[in-house]
Amino acid sequence: MSLLVVGSVAFDSVKTPFGEVDEVLGGSATYFSTAASYFTDVNLVAVIGEDFPEAHVQFLSERGIDLEGLSRQAGRTFRWRGEYSYQLNEAKTLDTQLNVFESFHPTLPEAYRDVPFVFLANIDPDLQLDVLNQVKSPKLVACDTMNFWIEGKRDALLKTLKAVDILIINDGEARELADEVNLVKVAKKILSYGPSTLVVKQGEYGALMFTAHSVFSAPAYPLEEVFDPTGAGDSFAGGFMGYLAKCGEVNDSNIRQAVIYGSTMASINVEAFSLDRMRALKQEEIASRYQAFKALTFFEEY
Ligand code: AMP
């Protein structure tokens, strides 16, 4: 089944202990849709400026991503600049320029209004809700956000969360959103805001999925080389939602598999800067990393 995403398409400038890149392809919706495109049809809603190169548009199009909802407007593309220390789990944001996103009010293409699966990637929560309200009767809605919006637009974010089934968020941001330290208490509080499922991404420590009655834990793949953690969260969400959309329904078994497909895509993405690792990625590599996750956590009955 098809999947709609709204989020940022960006120029990222990133510094990690292993190198530095300037104005490369990035953005929450870019990472998400590229990862999800390995599983299902993706419809992208975002805005780019006059300065966005045709080659990047071509890349997304070659991944089979539907770009009818990608609007080019007068002005500059969204820009984000961040830095990571040896503690690769958290980016320090040095600069955020919303640019064309400041005045973006999309009207969804008619063909996008019936999509069953929706992902509200990290972007202004007012824009997330605006897009969601144009989808007729979505089967599953998931969402991401970050401290920039938790601090700058908390009320709008809480309104969006009321309409969301699954929140996928970093541990630090989950704690900030709930104003609690303990993750079990964080989960209880966030589930009271609207979502019935919370996925907490913990970088190199993996991911935890909470519902009112269960907890599922997935490790992160122990990689020898991590070059650039940028986009790990969005690639996780792309693998997670892409797999659920491919299944066409959500149950306890496939949502756990989705967490592992999410972890698989995140672990692959961080092996290179920007989206470079996903440029020539093969389905066999995804399947083999998924199997490696299975081996990593398998143990016998007592
Ligand atoms: P992550 O998957 O959490 O590493 O997200 C990284 C991506 O988020 C980068 O490619 C950025 O362009 C994008 N990003 C950073 N800040 C924001 C923001 N305030 N709104 C939307 N996207 C952002």
Side-chain angles (χ1 to χ4, degrees):
M1 287 183 174
S2 58
L3 170 59
L4 179 148
V5 57
V6 57
S8 57
V9 170
F11 284 125
D12 285 352
S13 299
V14 180
K15 193 171 171 189
T16 81
F18 315 105
E20 197 171 346
V21 285
D22 204 36
E23 305 230 320
V24 293
L25 178 61
S28 57
T30 314
Y31 281 105
F32 177 90
S33 50
T34 305
S37 70
Y38 283 90
F39 298 86
T40 195
D41 297 336
V42 183
N43 303 316
L44 172 63
V45 179
V47 60
I48 48 177
E50 293 153 314
D51 53 357
F52 196 75
E54 202 45 45
H56 290 340
V57 177
Q58 188 69 23
F59 163 68
L60 296 169
S61 165
E62 278 166 11
R63 285 289 331 133
I65 298 162
D66 188 305
L67 302 178
E68 199 187 336
L70 179 67
S71 141
R72 192 187 281 276
Q73 284 174 20
R76 276 160 63 81
T77 298
F78 178 98
R79 277 165 170 77
W80 177 76
R81 179 177 290 276
E83 194 178 341
Y84 298 83
S85 63
Y86 278 99
Q87 225 301 31
L88 288 168
N89 280 350
E90 218 164 315
K92 184 173 163 210
T93 293
L94 302 174
D95 188 29
T96 303
Q97 297 174 18
L98 296 177
N99 297 334
V100 283
F101 268 103
E102 270 184 82
S103 54
F104 183 49
H105 300 289
T107 303
L108 284 202
E110 204 47 50
Y112 286 21
R113 292 174 190 254
D114 290 316
V115 295
F117 289 80
V118 177
F119 187 67
L120 311 172
N122 178 26
I123 196 64
D124 188 330
D126 278 327
L127 174 57
Q128 291 179 320
L129 197 57
D130 180 16
V131 167
L132 182 58
N133 285 338
Q134 296 178 55
V135 181
K136 282 182 197 150
S137 52
K139 201 175 162 114
L140 184 80
V141 182
C143 154
D144 186 9
T145 193
M146 71 182 293
N147 48 10
F148 188 84
W149 307 111
I150 296 170
E151 290 155 22
K153 282 213 158 185
R154 189 181 170 85
D155 289 348
L157 177 61
L158 290 176
K159 218 167 140 194
T160 297
L161 288 181
K162 280 206 175 100
V164 160
D165 302 301
I166 304 178
L167 176 65
I168 305 173
I169 187 171
N170 282 345
D171 53 353
E173 283 150 0
R175 289 186 168 102
E176 186 174 353
L177 176 62
D179 196 19
E180 288 278 358
V181 176
N182 177 284
L183 276 185
V184 179
K185 288 186 177 151
V186 164
K188 259 195 181 165
K189 207 156 170 187
I190 291 181
L191 294 179
S192 78
Y193 296 163
S196 54
T197 302
L198 170 70
V199 178
V200 180
K201 299 169 285 181
Q202 298 181 285
E204 64 177 317
Y205 307 112
L208 284 170
M209 178 169 65
F210 294 92
T211 67
H213 310 291
S214 68
V215 188
F216 176 65
S217 167
Y221 189 73
L223 287 169
E224 192 168 340
E225 312 240 48
V226 175
F227 276 98
D228 177 14
T230 311
D234 303 305
S235 310
F236 176 97
F240 177 87
M241 285 298 281
Y243 180 68
L244 289 176
K246 181 182 170 179
C247 294
E249 61 161 328
V250 182
N251 57 42
D252 190 53
S253 161
N254 66 18
I255 202 168
R256 288 174 178 232
Q257 291 174 314
V259 170
I260 303 301
Y261 274 113
S263 308
T264 296
M265 296 311 287
S267 73
I268 289 172
N269 179 64
V270 300
E271 291 175 325
F273 276 100
S274 182
L275 286 94
D276 290 354
R277 186 62 180 85
M278 288 200 281
R279 282 184 188 270
L281 181 63
K282 297 194 181 71
Q283 290 287 359
E284 304 88 82
E285 293 176 90
I286 297 173
S288 126
R289 182 65 56 86
Y290 183 89
Q291 284 308 321
F293 266 99
K294 193 150 191 280
L296 188 63
T297 48
F298 177 81
F299 55 90
E300 298 284 355
E301 290 280 332
Y302 177 63

